[in-house]
């Protein structure tokens, strides 16, 4: 039948709000991830440590439980302080790294391999919204693993200990929240950038770990050979640890001066250099994405 003989009617249904269109991508991505039994088990297992921490906090304030364990008076089984919460943040952040290495490489590479970007961008859907949609999947999952359980534990401790403890240790909550977000943004951008440039998922996942561990080893080598401290700029874990120390600074006043992460004396980097290095890493990842996320590819 000729085209002019067909009757076309515009779409009459409700339109999705422009600001929320990028949520379409994670909505279908969650359905795909739910089919993976391994990822489901791994994700559920990542909440074991926060549950153990919640049990410790509850036992600390339960007189009968302390009596059974033989703890009397003002003695506590484990001190709920900056060490406790930074240990939680460190462990959950490591689990988030494994999660990003598993699911991050499969976010952009299938669309590039199957030339699906043209279908995305042919609609009222910008490149920024595409990247935000892919990032939101990682951001939501890693947020539920890191700062969400951390703040819930902080609220539980504050509820059992009292409002005075919560107000005096508010720096713990802000350190958990902003420290986790710095880690999440770095992981999400790095995972998407590697997924855009490396189409083979196992290699892209291996590069996620290589970026952290191989670059850290190279930085240590530079420090040893050149007798300097600037090799730490290649160590993302060292940079994040320095940021965490800064964010949790001040909480020590109410936690007996306990510190979970301490940079060796003489190896401290200026904080402006640390933030600039992390910002530069984000800019490089965004540049890599901008180079690959295009509606059409010209092959010469």
């Amino acid at each position: 039948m000729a085209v002019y003989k067909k009757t076309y009617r515009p779409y009459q249904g409700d339109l999705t709000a422009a600001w929320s269109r990028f949520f379409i991508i994670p909505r279908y991505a969650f359905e795909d991830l739910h089919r993976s039994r391994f990822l489901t088990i791994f994700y559920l297992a990542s909440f074991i440590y926060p549950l153990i921490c919640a049990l410790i906090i509850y036992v600390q304030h339960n007189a009968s439980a302390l009596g059974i364990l033989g703890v009397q008076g003002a003695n506590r089984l484990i001190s709920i302080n900056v060490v406790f919460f930074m240990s939680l943040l460190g462990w959950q952040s490591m689990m988030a790294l494994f999660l990003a290495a598993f699911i991050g490489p499969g976010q952009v590479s299938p669309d590039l391999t199957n030339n699906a970007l043209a279908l995305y961008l042919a609609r009222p859907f910008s490149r920024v919204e595409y990247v935000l949609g892919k990032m939101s999947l990682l951001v939501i999952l890693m947020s539920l693993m890191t700062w969400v359980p951390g703040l819930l534990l902080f609220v539980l401790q504050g509820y059992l200990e009292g409002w005075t403890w919560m107000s005096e240790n508010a720096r713990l909550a802000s350190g958990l929240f902003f420290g986790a977000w710095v880690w999440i943004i770095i992981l999400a951008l790095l995972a998407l950038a590697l997924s855009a440039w490396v189409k083979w998922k196992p290699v892209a996942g291996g590069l996620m770990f290589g970026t952290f561990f191989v670059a850290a080893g190279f930085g240590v080598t530079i420090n040893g050979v050149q007798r300097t401290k600037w090799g730490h700029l290649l160590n993302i874990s060292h940079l994040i640890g320095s940021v965490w120390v800064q964010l949790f600074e001040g909480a020590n006043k109410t936690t007996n001066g306990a510190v979970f992460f301490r940079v060796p004396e003489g190896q401290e980097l200026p904080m402006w250099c640390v933030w600039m290095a992390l910002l530069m890493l984000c800019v490089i990842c965004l540049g890599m994405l901008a180079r690959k996320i295009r509606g059409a590819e010209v092959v010469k």
Side-chain angles (χ1 to χ4, degrees):
M1 181 182 296
V3 174
Y4 68 87
K5 292 183 179 180
K6 294 183 178 181
T7 303
Y8 293 94
R9 298 179 180 178
Y11 176 71
Q12 301 295 332
D14 296 332
L15 297 177
T16 303
W19 65 269
S20 63
R21 286 173 185 164
F22 67 90
F23 284 116
I24 298 174
I25 294 178
R27 184 177 70 185
Y28 288 99
F30 280 124
E31 296 179 0
D32 294 336
L33 293 178
H34 185 67
R35 299 189 185 100
S36 175
R37 185 171 302 177
F38 172 77
L39 284 177
T40 302
I41 295 174
F42 172 81
Y43 194 72
L44 293 176
S46 67
F47 293 97
I48 294 177
Y49 189 84
L51 289 176
I52 294 175
C53 293
L55 180 62
I56 291 174
I57 292 175
Y58 174 75
V59 170
Q60 293 283 67
H61 298 85
N62 189 297
S64 59
L66 291 175
I68 294 174
L69 295 174
V71 181
Q72 299 177 354
N75 296 327
R76 292 298 181 90
L77 188 63
I78 295 178
S79 298
I80 310 300
N81 51 25
V82 66
V83 176
F84 182 86
F85 285 100
M86 289 193 74
S87 299
L88 170 71
L89 179 60
W91 177 263
Q92 294 301 108
S93 297
M94 183 183 67
M95 301 297 287
L97 172 60
F98 281 96
L99 180 71
F102 286 146
I103 67 177
Q107 295 305 304
V108 180
S109 57
D111 295 337
L112 292 173
T113 302
N114 300 306
N115 297 321
L117 280 178
L119 298 178
Y120 279 104
L121 302 180
R123 291 162 173 78
F125 203 79
S126 66
R127 295 194 297 170
V128 174
E129 289 173 321
Y130 175 82
V131 174
L132 286 176
K134 294 295 184 179
M135 277 190 63
S136 60
L137 173 67
L138 295 169
V139 167
I140 292 172
L141 291 177
M142 290 190 290
S143 294
L144 294 176
M145 294 174 63
T146 53
W147 64 268
V148 171
L151 292 184
L152 290 177
L153 291 174
F154 177 82
V155 172
L156 176 63
Q157 170 68 7
Y159 173 75
L160 296 175
E161 192 73 24
W163 172 254
T164 302
W165 182 93
M166 185 177 291
S167 60
E168 291 178 350
N169 293 273
R171 193 62 178 265
L172 293 176
S174 63
L176 280 169
F177 181 78
F178 293 107
W181 268 107
V182 172
W183 181 250
I184 288 171
I185 291 174
I186 294 294
L187 286 183
L189 288 176
L190 186 60
L192 292 183
L194 293 177
S195 177
W197 281 82
V198 182
K199 297 182 180 180
W200 196 21
K201 295 181 183 179
V203 176
L207 284 176
M208 279 288 294
F209 293 104
T211 303
F212 285 88
F213 300 113
V214 176
F218 189 63
V220 172
T221 303
I222 293 177
N223 289 338
V225 174
Q226 300 295 330
R227 296 182 180 181
T228 182
K229 62 183 179 181
W230 299 105
H232 289 309
L233 291 175
L234 300 177
N235 189 343
I236 301 177
S237 299
H238 184 93
L239 298 177
I240 294 295
S242 300
V243 170
W244 286 356
V245 169
Q246 183 187 39
L247 292 175
F248 280 89
E249 186 179 4
N252 300 332
K253 298 178 181 179
T254 57
T255 53
N256 300 323
V259 179
F260 173 72
F261 179 88
R262 175 67 66 186
V263 179
E265 187 175 355
Q267 295 295 314
E268 303 91 344
L269 294 175
M271 286 309 302
W272 69 269
C273 290
V274 172
W275 284 106
M276 285 298 296
L278 293 176
L279 179 61
M280 185 61 64
L281 177 61
C282 293
V283 170
I284 292 173
C285 292
L286 290 173
M288 294 171 64
L289 288 171
R291 186 68 180 270
K292 284 290 185 178
I293 307 301
R294 295 181 177 181
E297 182 178 1
V298 179
V299 179
K300 296 182 180 180

